[in-house]
Each structure stands twice: as structure tokens, then as C-alpha cells.
Amino acid sequence: MTARFLPLLMCPVAFCAEIQTLAPLILTGDKLATQAEQVSGSVTVLGPEQLEALPPSAGTYQDLFALCAGAYAGNPGVGTFSLRGLSQDNVFGYLGTGSNALITVMHDGAPLSPSTLRYLPPLLWDLNGAEVLRGPQSLSYGPNSMGGALLLHNRPPGFDSHGAVLTEVSEYGGLRAGLAQDFTLLPQELALRVSYLHQQSDGQETNTYSNDDQFGATRRDNVEARLRWHPAK
């Protein structure tokens, strides 16, 4: 009786020997070279023409959301902005913890923290374009992109000596002055772009306790220099 069941006991061993191991599957991707058409979810691409449609008073990246459906600018107390109802700060955005952002913001490939967005928000000055990605983007931009991503791109240095000047005066002692210029160091090989922006305002708030009408005064100077190198063949 033992010999009769012996072939049945050996069948699983023979079956296991026929199992083949699949070759490893490797997935690669370049988040900097991804085209908007290949991104999952809904994407809004804002180019130079769309940025020019913003009102002259637009100053920071939060003004971009006037051109995007489902995007809303916030305030320092409840997150800097939201996409489809998700606060950029985190699920506890009303507490202002800033410990686990749900939307990634990248400025020329460098991620910006919630604290940076709150106290040193990116400026629209010298901005060349922006992309608003709605929906999970964790595979491309990291675990803090479950609610989407905002990609900001400054104007790169060019070889055509492009320049720009900005002068704006407003109430409450408001002043904005900017200057940007391209410099060709080596023709068609090395270019430099220098950008400067000055902002100041006495603020709209008045501290009635100390009778200080400049209680909300601000002043900000932003200087950037970028190099563009095309190695000679």
C-alpha cells in the first residue's frame, strides 16, 4: 500500500522543478524630462502668454491659481494653497504643523518646504512657466505628492541678450522694481542671466495699541544668477 501512493507523493516535487523564475523587471523614469501628456491625472500648463494675463498686482506663486481650476490660494494659518480640497500643508493644515506636506512644490527642480512657501514664497518675477499637476504624483516627485505637484520654471539664460525691467508703485508705500538681463559669455556655449527684484510696503495693518502704522511693513530683495553651458562639440 505504501508503494501504491509513492508516485502521488513525488508529483509535487516534479512539478516544483518545472517552475521558472522570471527575469527582474526594472522601471526607470526621469522626473525632469517627463512631458505633460505623459503625467497621470489632470495637468495645467502655464506658459509665458498665460503669465502675462495675470493682473499687474500679481506678485507671488499663489496668484497662479487664478488661472487653474480646482486650485485655491490659502493663507499662513491654513496652508499656503490647496488642490481639489487637499491642503498643501498636510491633513492637519489648520494646525499649521507643516510636518507632512501633501503637495510638492519644486522651483527649477529644487523642492520647497512648507515653511519656505509661507515666509519666502516664490515670486512671479522672471518666471517662464509653471505646471499644476492634480492627483497622486508620488512616483515622480516623492511621497509628499499624494495631492499633486506644482512645478515652477524660471527663465533660463539665453544667447539673445534678452532683458526685462519692472517698476510699480502702489498705495501703502508699495514699491516693486526689477531688472533682468542675459549676457553671452561665449557665443552659443556659455550664457549668464542676472535677475534682481526689490519689494517694499508699509503694510495695510495699523497697531492701534502702539499707534504703529507700519506694523505690517515688509521689505524683500531677491538676487539670482544662472549659468547655461552648452559644451562645444
Side-chain angles (χ1 to χ4, degrees):
M1 183 173 180
T2 302
R4 183 181 303 175
F5 286 97
L6 183 60
L8 296 177
L9 296 176
M10 296 178 61
C11 287
V13 178
F15 178 76
C16 294
E18 299 177 357
I19 295 178
Q20 298 180 358
T21 302
L22 298 177
L25 178 62
I26 301 176
L27 300 178
T28 60
D30 188 349
K31 61 184 179 182
L32 299 179
T34 301
Q35 300 296 323
E37 294 81 359
Q38 302 174 351
V39 177
S40 61
S42 174
V43 182
T44 298
V45 179
L46 303 176
E49 296 181 356
Q50 289 77 12
L51 297 180
E52 291 179 359
L54 291 171
S57 59
T60 68
Y61 77 101
Q62 290 180 317
D63 296 299
L64 295 172
F65 302 127
L67 306 175
C68 304
Y72 305 92
N75 58 69
V78 293
T80 54
F81 69 94
S82 62
L83 292 178
R84 291 180 173 177
L86 290 178
S87 173
Q88 183 274 337
D89 194 337
N90 55 23
V91 293
F92 303 105
Y94 288 94
L95 300 179
T97 59
S99 58
N100 187 23
L102 294 180
I103 303 172
T104 292
V105 178
M106 303 189 72
H107 196 174
D108 287 334
L112 304 180
S113 67
S115 298
T116 300
L117 297 174
R118 183 174 291 113
Y119 300 112
L120 291 174
L123 305 173
L124 295 185
W125 167 249
D126 213 29
L127 194 69
N128 192 52
E131 300 174 27
V132 181
L133 288 67
R134 307 173 188 85
Q137 305 293 331
S138 300
L139 292 179
S140 299
Y141 301 103
N144 291 335
S145 305
M146 295 186 63
L150 173 62
L151 311 180
L152 305 175
H153 311 287
N154 272 25
R155 183 181 180 89
F159 299 96
D160 53 358
S161 299
H162 176 273
V165 178
L166 170 68
T167 303
E168 179 183 286
V169 180
S170 60
E171 58 183 347
Y172 302 107
L175 172 65
R176 286 201 303 169
L179 176 64
Q181 181 63 49
D182 288 333
F183 300 93
T184 301
L185 304 181
L186 294 176
Q188 303 304 319
E189 183 175 352
L190 186 63
L192 170 68
R193 184 173 182 84
V194 179
S195 174
Y196 170 74
L197 178 66
H198 169 78
Q199 289 182 304
Q200 70 178 45
S201 173
D202 295 338
Q204 303 179 11
E205 298 84 5
T206 299
N207 190 329
T208 57
Y209 178 80
S210 59
N211 195 25
D212 183 6
D213 60 352
Q214 296 188 4
F215 181 75
T218 60
R219 179 186 177 96
R220 181 177 180 181
D221 292 279
N222 186 72
V223 181
E224 294 184 1
R226 301 169 181 270
L227 278 175
R228 185 177 186 179
W229 180 36
H230 287 172
K233 296 182 179 179

